[in-house]
Amino acid sequence: MRLSRYFLPTLKETPAEAQIVSHRLMLRAGMVRQASAGIYSWLPLGFRVLKKIENIVHEEMAAAGAQAVLMPTLQLADLWRESGRYDAYGPEMLRITDRHDREMLYGPTNEEQITQIVRDDIRSYRDLPKNLYHIQWKFRDEIRPRFGVMRGREFLMKDGYSFDLDFESAKRSYNSMFVAYLRTYARIGLKAIPMRADSGPIGGDLSHEFVILADTGESAVFADKALLAMDPPSDTIDFEADLEPIMQKWTSLYSATDEKHDPANCPVPAEDLVEARGIEVGHIFYFGTNYSEPLGCAVTMPDGEKRFVHGGSYGIGVSRLAGAIIEASHDDAGIIWPDAVAPFDVGLINLKSGDDACDTVANDLDAKLSTAGVEVLHDDRDERAGVKFADMDLIGLPWQLTVGPRGVKSGMVELKRRAGGEKQELSIDSALSQILDKRA
Ligand code: ATP
Ligand code: MG
């Protein structure tokens, strides 16, 4: 992709309205623009990151046996009256009336909608278990939308729902999502820590939040320092196997958000307890028959008995993650994208656009890398070197490959790793093979 044609409105000045670094950098790097309070447009660079995160979520959900669907953003108020949440949800719910005076709402979550789908089309115990999810925009009229996409009013969430015959089976579904979440965050390049959490107004007892440690996090978190040192489960997990041992390993070490933490009863000695700020990037819980009973979601057992299904829900804040990754990975010059979610792999800088020798080398590198499947953002603009380097550091692509008039004479280019900042003078071919090898 040629930067001269790309829509990348970077800003030199720090936007005054942004209080935290991820919000500042997302605006400065031209990733998002605010449409109204807590509602954002995603520009090309930001949208690419969002899609990368989504893809990882889709792949890990598939590995764990969950199936993607897509439910609408607008839902009928009557469905939420059945569960009793239409009134209970309060002012966070955006309520809408259509031209026929039917009351609708912009979904803040989809327990009711998915339960209706399962209720209407699943009748027999033989059809369970099922695990369905979607990645869809949600609306919550947050009282204080802030920190950019981290606490928006409209935001993108992956929300999944499991349906099982009994607690034992529901626990297996819960465990598979627990493990899938650990893997998802690790693949994104984040260390997310599962924390015992309050299951909130939805009720239920099994509940974990996944939290990334960052100074700007909205909640106080407490954890055994041994938990912070643990490595995520390998990518060869067999999701058909019993995952309880992995679950035990991760949940036997103490961790809790401030809502659940009780200093008087904390089992961890003070010297082993880490107290920090955290960003919640996911939340999973088991809620039994809390929705299936009021909504009448039951299956017929072999003996003819009707049984309400046992449910769980599993959320990941997809758009919040874009900000959370930046909170976890940046420096004074800008964003440092983890490879897996970087909007492009390589920023190719032509220091002297219009110079025949430089253009030839840069265009050739662009073509070779692109053919090999490497995503290249090629800065072919007629700009000063300082502007090009500053923009490239700001947008944080993992590799910077610089073609300049001096090096080109002797067939040399410069390769810089954004994280760490090491620079190497290399022949064109070895620069190419380094980038290709690192990706393999
Ligand atoms: P919070 O405590 O941050 O308000 P929540 O408990 O209301 O979160 P859930 O209903 O569990 O959130 O939603 C699942 C995930 O969606 C959260 O873990 C979070 O990552 C994300 N999320 C929730 N609210 C927002 C929001 N206003 N903006 C962006 N992401 C959000
Ligand atoms: Mg909330």
Side-chain angles (χ1 to χ4, degrees), residues 89 92 140 142 151 155 280 320:
Y89 216 94
E92 268 199 17
R140 295 182 186 175
E142 300 276 356
R151 182 164 298 282
F155 60 97
E280 179 192 325
R320 177 179 287 182

Side-chain angles (χ1 to χ4, degrees), residues 321-332:
L321 270 169
I325 295 165
I326 297 173
E327 288 295 327
S329 186
H330 66 270
D331 62 14
D332 289 343

Side-chain angles (χ1 to χ4, degrees), residues 158-170:
K158 184 252 36 169
D159 43 323
Y161 306 91
S162 63
F163 298 88
D164 285 273
L165 277 183
D166 52 30
F167 175 76
E168 284 66 42
S169 170

